[in-house]
Amino acid sequence: MTREETLSVLHTQFDQSAKQLCDETNGLYCEISSTYKGDELPQNLQYRFAKIYYNLFTVKFTYTAHGLMNTVYSILGCTVSYDKTENALEIPLPLLADYCDITVVTPTYIPFVSDKDGMAEAFSCIGTALQTVLPAWSEIRCDSHRKATVLTRYAEEVKYILDLKDAECEEPYFTAYVTDFVIDYFTLRFSTGAFFLYMKGNIPKAIKQVKKVKRLTGYEKRLLAVWSSGETRISLAPAITQGFDLFNESGVPKANFKEFGTLFLSWLLLTPITSMVYIGLFFLLVWIDGLHSAYVLGPMYNFPNCILFGFITAIALSYFTRFTFYQWFHKKDYERYCELDWVQNGGREDRFMKWFLRIILLLGIVGCLFLAKWNLNFMSNGFIDNSKFFSLNGEYHAYRDVEKIYYKPDRLNGLGDTIDFPSYVIVLKNGTEIDLYDHGEIADYEDTLLPFLRRKGIPVEKEN
């Protein structure tokens, strides 16, 4: 399947699972909506929402395609509304469980959901926690005092965790504030770090990770107590955990040597192709520059830089060819690789890489132009000194302005040592010297350029 087809199947499963859970929990109806960045294409999805309506409140499942700072992706989470109004305050399910005095040990935010089976299992897992909390929350919603207490606890907890000012935790500002950034913050917090370690089954490391956090929510304190008791074991469905081994303890992708090796091979295979394009362009520009010239000295030593341009372009281009190379070298893992890649890299990454590739191509083309013009161009009446790299026009000198050309047997290197690298030096009447050492070896020009300059009446001092 293509990326659009695979992601469409994933999103369709989200809809089906949400409606199924709505039926199982006696919800009134389920409303599906989405937000996109750009065209309404599966790869441009930002969030997909499933809002399940009950008598006094709503439950919202959110599929987050990419979390804050893009550090984690394809996350399924759940929030429960404070009431049933359109802009009702939403409380993350694990926090609400704590306010209801319920200890939830099943994960309530699940990252890296990459296929329809994983989505179905993630809904089942979070749905289990939700069904534990719903009866208690329904009871609290009928008691105005207890309902107000929950709101107060949530406001105080958000204030404590995020170190907010008192005014920021008052209505109506608080409701507007937490429906935006705070929900995304808790989505990231409850799907990475200790919680991801817990989902991987590494409870000892999860405990250490939680203890490093300075400001813990009540939910985290409850979970820490359960973890520390040694009585909790977690066993998630393979459909949920099948990709977890690709990520480190913080939920950041590990260095996948198989994937990197494939990319590296693709760079090696693409570099000759992209380099030949730049080399062809380079020689075309050299030919155009020398159409009306008697001799052009220097550019032939510059074309190896085109290989560097080709290698850098191959790296950028490999983003768009990675699936082809992965299919060539790892046929068995190809489908799984595609699924994980497609949920990780969406339309934003595609657009960025397209612009990045264009910039690299532009820089390569401009680089070829400067390399081709980095020369000494000898014409019938004078020559152009274009020895400065970032100069396209150079400086013109008539042959009558040249005093002489002399032989230079050696020179000093950067350490002050004398090295035997001879060359000829053009001396202008104003005292300026242009060393031909920077543009080629003597063998390249002594049989062609020097006789030409002698015919122009310029004295040439030979080697002693």
Side-chain angles (χ1 to χ4, degrees), residues 422-436:
S423 69
Y424 282 88
V425 180
I426 299 175
V427 182
L428 303 180
K429 290 180 179 178
N430 62 9
T432 301
E433 294 189 355
I434 302 172
D435 194 342
L436 301 186

Side-chain angles (χ1 to χ4, degrees), residues 80-319:
V80 181
S81 69
Y82 183 69
D83 54 45
K84 205 176 177 180
T85 58
E86 183 177 352
N87 297 316
L89 181 69
E90 297 174 13
I91 303 175
L93 177 60
L95 299 184
L96 182 63
D98 177 53
Y99 307 148
C100 294
D101 198 26
I102 297 173
T103 301
V104 172
V105 295
T106 56
T108 51
Y109 284 85
I110 298 177
F112 312 124
V113 180
S114 60
D115 58 24
K116 61 177 296 186
D117 293 336
M119 181 67 78
E121 292 294 346
F123 254 101
S124 176
C125 181
I126 299 173
T128 298
L130 176 65
Q131 293 182 65
T132 303
V133 175
L134 282 181
W137 178 234
S138 298
E139 184 180 333
I140 290 173
R141 281 291 290 107
C142 297
D143 186 325
S144 59
H145 175 71
R146 295 176 67 190
K147 174 185 169 185
T149 301
V150 167
L151 177 61
T152 301
R153 288 186 63 182
Y154 185 39
E156 288 297 323
E157 192 152 62
V158 171
K159 173 185 174 183
Y160 170 70
I161 296 299
L162 300 181
D163 195 21
L164 301 178
K165 298 177 181 178
D166 289 338
E168 294 174 321
C169 293
E170 296 178 357
E171 292 292 347
Y173 180 83
F174 179 71
T175 300
Y177 187 88
V178 301
T179 55
D180 205 351
F181 166 76
V182 174
I183 298 299
D184 284 341
Y185 168 80
F186 281 119
T187 298
L188 179 64
R189 180 162 176 154
F190 293 146
S191 59
T192 58
F195 297 94
F196 184 63
L197 284 169
Y198 176 55
M199 284 184 274
K200 292 180 73 173
N202 196 335
I203 296 178
K205 282 193 175 181
I207 293 172
K208 291 180 180 179
Q209 195 89 325
V210 169
K211 288 182 177 179
K212 292 179 182 178
V213 180
K214 293 181 179 179
R215 295 170 182 253
L216 294 176
T217 63
Y219 162 67
E220 288 166 324
K221 291 176 182 177
R222 282 177 178 270
L223 209 53
L224 178 60
V226 173
W227 291 348
S228 300
S229 69
E231 298 177 358
T232 301
R233 294 292 181 270
I234 186 168
S235 179
L236 297 178
I240 294 177
T241 61
Q242 59 184 332
F244 283 5
D245 289 340
L246 300 176
F247 303 89
N248 66 16
E249 297 173 357
S250 300
V252 177
K254 292 180 180 177
N256 189 323
F257 293 105
K258 182 184 292 186
E259 183 178 343
F260 177 76
T262 303
L263 282 175
F264 185 74
L265 285 173
S266 72
W267 300 343
L268 295 181
L269 293 173
L270 289 171
T271 296
I273 300 172
T274 52
S275 296
M276 288 305 298
V277 173
Y278 287 121
I279 290 173
L281 174 63
F282 170 80
F283 280 109
L284 175 63
L285 293 171
V286 170
W287 177 75
I288 293 173
D289 194 42
L291 281 176
H292 303 290
S293 304
Y295 195 90
V296 179
L297 183 64
M300 295 308 174
Y301 285 89
N302 299 332
F303 87 86
N305 291 288
C306 295
I307 299 175
L308 176 61
F309 297 157
F311 180 70
I312 295 173
T313 302
I315 293 176
L317 186 61
S318 67
Y319 177 84

Side-chain angles (χ1 to χ4, degrees), residues 44 55 58 77 144 170 229 259 327 346 349 360 371 424:
N44 293 333
N55 289 325
T58 61
S144 59
E170 296 178 357
S229 69
E259 183 178 343
Q327 188 176 25
E349 288 74 20
I360 293 298
L371 288 173
Y424 282 88

